[in-house]
């Protein structure tokens, strides 16, 4: 069974540029999460989807971040414009039962 | 306010000995706890979990203990192996939700 797929793995951009990350969860997993992990910290939830509905986006900085999960399968997280403080690893995870999350490898974003 | 704390950023253990990783939490609404292992450039991988109605769960070399009165859980690895060298995160779930809070991680180094 394929795991959670994320792309790109690495992205370097200049500040004020837009950037997008893509995630394909494990087949059949209705719950999808986007996390941000800063250096030396644990993952912090940005947004959680149940199918195509965003059910928890309280931690998403909505002035510059947006996300979508069309058709309740894959998802895109966008930052526009990026700031220096957005440099982090962006992790996508999915879950079938809400008990165990399966993480993708992450996208390491560097904003110069 | 950090609701899930891993106060030891790093730990070194000799191969074959026991590794004990600790995690403290503050919110009594957490009902499910997990441990994840993370290698460099990879996403966190689920290791073991425990429900708040139990005080111990064992899976091979890995055992998680939960002390609800102390709001403390620990992960025991016996015997430790060099391949166990990684960053370990504990995570706690708010009861009745799919929302997890992660600790800041402990880097375990198992010395051969």
């Amino acid at each position: 069974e394929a795991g959670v797929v994320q792309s790109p793995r690495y992205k370097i951009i200049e500040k004020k540029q837009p950037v997008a990350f893509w995630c394909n969860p494990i087949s059949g997993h209705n719950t999808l999460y986007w996390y941000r992990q800063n250096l030396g910290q644990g993952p912090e939830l940005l947004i959680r989807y149940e199918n195509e509905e965003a059910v928890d986006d309280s931690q998403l900085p909505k002035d510059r971040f947006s996300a979508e999960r069309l058709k309740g399968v894959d998802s895109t997280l966008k930052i526009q414009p990026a700031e220096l403080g957005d440099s982090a690893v962006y992790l996508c995870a999915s879950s079938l039962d809400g008990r165990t999350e399966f993480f993708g490898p992450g996208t390491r974003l560097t904003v110069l | 306010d950090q609701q899930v704390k891993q106060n030891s950023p790093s730990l070194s253990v000799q191969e074959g000995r026991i590794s004990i990783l600790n995690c403290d939490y503050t919110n009594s609404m957490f009902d499910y706890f997990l441990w994840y292992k993370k290698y460099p450039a990879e996403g966190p991988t689920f290791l073991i979990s425990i429900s708040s109605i139990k005080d111990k769960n064992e899976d091979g070399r890995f055992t998680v203990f939960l002390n609800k009165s102390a709001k403390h859980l620990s992960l025991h690895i016996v015997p430790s192996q060099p391949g166990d060298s990684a960053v370990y995160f504990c995570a706690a779930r708010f009861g009745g939700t799919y929302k997890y809070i992660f600790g800041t991680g402990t880097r375990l180094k198992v010395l051969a």
Side-chain angles (χ1 to χ4, degrees):
Chain A
E1 179 183 274
V4 176
V5 179
Q6 289 189 248
S7 69
R9 292 295 311 275
Y10 303 91
K11 188 74 176 179
I12 301 174
I13 61 172
E14 294 189 346
K15 63 181 181 182
K16 300 185 181 179
Q17 295 299 306
V19 65
F21 314 122
W22 177 80
C23 171
N24 191 275
I26 294 173
S27 178
H29 284 198
N30 295 328
T31 307
L32 183 146
Y33 308 78
W34 281 104
Y35 287 89
R36 176 169 60 188
Q37 185 176 14
N38 292 309
L39 191 64
Q41 300 295 314
E44 295 179 334
L45 181 69
L46 291 173
I47 189 168
R48 174 170 66 87
Y49 282 92
E50 290 295 334
N51 297 304
E52 65 274 10
E53 183 182 358
V55 295
D56 185 352
D57 62 356
S58 57
Q59 305 280 58
L60 190 73
K62 299 182 184 61
D63 56 336
R64 298 183 299 107
F65 286 65
S66 65
E68 61 182 13
R69 191 184 183 196
L70 300 177
K71 300 181 181 178
V73 181
D74 57 348
S75 175
T76 302
L77 177 68
K78 297 178 181 178
I79 309 175
Q80 182 170 9
E83 297 179 351
L84 294 175
D86 296 331
S87 295
V89 175
Y90 290 83
L91 293 161
C92 179
S94 69
S95 177
L96 177 64
D97 57 6
R99 289 201 150 207
T100 306
E101 297 180 38
F102 294 87
F103 284 84
T107 297
R108 180 176 294 278
L109 173 67
T110 301
V111 182
L112 303 175
Chain B
D1 181 30
Q2 194 75 22
Q3 297 189 69
V4 178
K5 300 177 184 178
Q6 294 177 256
N7 292 317
S8 298
S10 64
L11 174 68
S12 292
V13 172
Q14 285 294 132
E15 181 179 7
R17 308 294 283 267
I18 184 171
S19 294
I20 300 177
L21 296 96
N22 295 304
C23 180
D24 297 294
Y25 62 95
T26 58
N27 197 323
S28 58
M29 296 299 292
F30 293 140
D31 71 343
Y32 196 69
F33 303 87
L34 305 94
W35 283 94
Y36 283 86
K37 179 168 72 173
K38 185 181 183 304
Y39 293 118
E42 294 183 12
T45 304
F46 170 74
L47 195 56
I48 193 169
S49 63
I50 188 167
S51 167
S52 60
I53 63 173
K54 295 187 175 182
D55 54 18
K56 177 182 175 181
N57 188 27
E58 191 172 355
D59 183 3
R61 297 186 296 114
F62 303 92
T63 303
V64 56
F65 295 92
L66 176 63
N67 182 333
K68 282 199 300 182
S69 61
K71 294 189 175 66
H72 176 83
L73 66 156
S74 61
L75 174 68
H76 292 208
I77 307 173
V78 183
S80 301
Q81 300 174 354
D84 296 329
S85 297
V87 178
Y88 290 79
F89 292 98
C90 66
R93 186 182 77 171
F94 282 100
T97 76
Y98 290 179
K99 183 170 183 175
Y100 287 86
I101 304 294
F102 283 78
T104 53
T106 295
R107 182 178 301 277
L108 172 66
K109 188 172 185 178
V110 180
L111 306 170

